[in-house]
């Protein structure tokens, strides 16, 4: 029935991406530059620091936002990652996650605030975010490689696309959950829109925004293995290498490293959200 009526969407998409590569390579290289610099900065810094310093910094952060128990757990977990021989890969993964989270926050929080204050903008953003969250990551790996080539930067870009929707959604939700009477009270005392946003809405929405940040970090970590398919390093590399060589031990160790790091980052960011609540 449909043999002669197939829409050649795949050909149109391929031609569009090829057109972008031929005509806008400079634009995509300009987009790539700040991400590359940020990633290189984090990667160089984390790998240059002695392991004990990084472990102490993570332990202090855990103690500051939660308490002694989480600090001890975090230190033991990071030491275990080092003892598994995954320290350089884990620092590269941490650099990729931090870079992704920085750009997700810079882009996502303002968009979430606008969506929280404008029904029309929220209606426009909703289908875009739905598409970003439901499109399989493998689908946009190909155009990303064509536009930005392979490597860690392409991996971070794919991670940003995958991980930014939660912080936009939860920032919007947090702004909308601020009680209207509090906003009206601030306006009654002569506060401007900017003062209402900065002094009332954002502080009260902060626990929800931090919950969005937590989800963004978790989704960024879930992209580690997929990003390794396009040449990104880190903890995804041993998993992919183990898969290709049927070395189950190597794959399990890589996966265990991702899980341990995810638990530490999840507990610390959850504690941050509770502290602000």
């Amino acid at each position: 029935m449909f043999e002669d009526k197939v829409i050649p969407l795949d050909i149109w998409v391929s031609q569009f991406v090829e057109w972008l590569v031929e005509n806008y390579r400079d634009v995509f290289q300009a987009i790539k530059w700040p991400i590359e610099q940020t990633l290189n900065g984090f990667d160089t810094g984390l790998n240059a620091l002695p392991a004990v310093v990084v472990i102490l910094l993570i332990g202090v952060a855990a103690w500051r936002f939660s308490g002694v128990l989480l600090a001890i757990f975090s230190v033991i977990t990071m030491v275990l990652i080092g003892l598994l021989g995954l320290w350089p890969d884990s620092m590269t993964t941490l650099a990729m996650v931090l870079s992704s989270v920085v750009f997700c926050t810079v882009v996502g929080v303002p968009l979430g605030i606008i969506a929280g204050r404008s029904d029309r903008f929220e209606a426009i953003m909703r289908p875009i975010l739905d598409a970003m969250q439901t499109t399989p990551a493998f689908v946009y790996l190909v155009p990303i490689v064509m536009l930005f080539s392979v490597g860690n930067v392409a991996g971070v870009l794919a991670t940003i696309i995958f991980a930014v929707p939660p912080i936009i959604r939860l920032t919007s939700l947090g702004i909308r959950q601020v009680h209207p009477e509090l906003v009206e009270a601030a306006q009654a005392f002569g506060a401007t829109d900017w003062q209402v946003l900065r002094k009332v809405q954002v502080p009260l929405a902060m626990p929800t925004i931090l919950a969005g940040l937590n989800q963004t970090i978790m989704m960024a970590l879930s992209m580690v293995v997929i990003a390794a398919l396009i040449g990104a390093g880190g903890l995804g590399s041993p998993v992919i290498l183990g898969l290709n060589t049927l070395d189950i031990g190597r794959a399990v160790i890589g996966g265990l490293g991702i899980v341990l790091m995810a638990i530490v980052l999840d507990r610390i960011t959850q504690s941050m959200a509770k502290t602000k609540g």
Side-chain angles (χ1 to χ4, degrees):
M1 177 178 179
F2 295 108
E3 286 79 4
D4 299 326
K5 299 176 183 175
V6 176
I7 300 172
L9 183 60
D10 53 342
I11 297 174
W12 296 346
V13 171
S14 298
Q15 290 174 343
F16 178 65
V17 173
E18 288 171 5
W19 176 78
L20 285 177
V21 172
E22 290 176 4
N23 296 282
Y24 292 95
R25 178 172 291 278
D26 292 342
V27 174
F28 291 107
Q29 291 304 310
I31 294 172
K32 179 181 175 180
W33 187 83
I35 297 172
E36 188 172 28
Q37 298 304 312
T38 305
L39 176 61
N40 289 341
F42 278 127
D43 196 20
T44 304
L46 287 170
N47 279 295
L49 284 174
V52 65
V53 174
V54 177
I55 291 171
L56 282 176
L57 288 175
I58 292 174
V60 169
W63 170 77
R64 169 69 179 78
F65 292 112
S66 179
V68 176
L69 288 179
L70 182 59
I72 294 172
F73 172 78
S74 300
V75 168
I76 291 174
T77 302
M78 296 308 294
V79 169
L80 180 58
I81 289 175
L83 291 175
L84 291 172
L86 298 171
W87 190 258
D89 286 335
S90 65
M91 290 302 99
T92 299
T93 294
L94 187 57
M96 292 174 64
V97 170
L98 290 175
S99 302
S100 305
V101 169
V102 166
F103 285 97
C104 286
T105 304
V106 169
V107 173
V109 171
L111 288 178
I113 289 173
I114 297 171
R117 307 185 83 186
S118 166
D119 290 338
R120 181 176 296 177
F121 188 77
E122 201 265 345
I124 294 171
M125 287 299 298
R126 192 184 304 146
I128 298 172
L129 297 177
D130 289 343
M132 291 169 71
Q133 283 191 294
T134 55
T135 302
F138 293 102
V139 173
Y140 50 77
L141 286 184
V142 176
I144 282 179
V145 169
M146 290 181 69
L147 295 169
F148 299 99
S149 77
V150 297
N152 284 357
V153 177
V156 170
L157 277 161
T159 303
I160 291 170
I161 295 171
F162 188 69
V164 75
I167 197 165
I168 296 176
R169 288 186 191 279
L170 287 172
T171 300
S172 173
L173 178 66
I175 294 294
R176 288 176 181 274
Q177 283 181 333
V178 174
H179 203 289
E181 288 183 0
L182 294 173
V183 176
E184 290 170 6
Q187 290 170 336
F189 280 100
T192 62
D193 275 355
W194 171 246
Q195 288 172 327
V196 170
L197 175 66
R198 193 165 60 91
K199 300 285 188 181
V200 179
Q201 290 180 307
V202 169
L204 291 174
M206 191 55 71
T208 311
I209 295 172
L210 289 175
L213 182 69
N214 170 270
Q215 290 304 302
T216 293
I217 292 173
M218 292 300 102
M219 293 188 76
L221 272 168
S222 72
M223 279 290 290
V224 167
V225 176
I226 296 174
L229 290 172
I230 56 173
L235 291 169
S237 295
V239 177
I240 298 298
L241 188 60
L243 182 66
N244 290 337
T245 60
L246 297 180
D247 185 348
I248 189 170
R250 187 189 293 267
V252 168
I253 287 176
L256 182 60
I258 294 170
V259 171
L260 292 174
M261 182 165 286
I263 292 172
V264 170
L265 295 179
D266 179 56
R267 299 297 183 271
I268 292 175
T269 50
Q270 276 192 11
S271 301
M272 286 171 62
K274 289 177 183 174
T275 303
K276 294 289 182 181

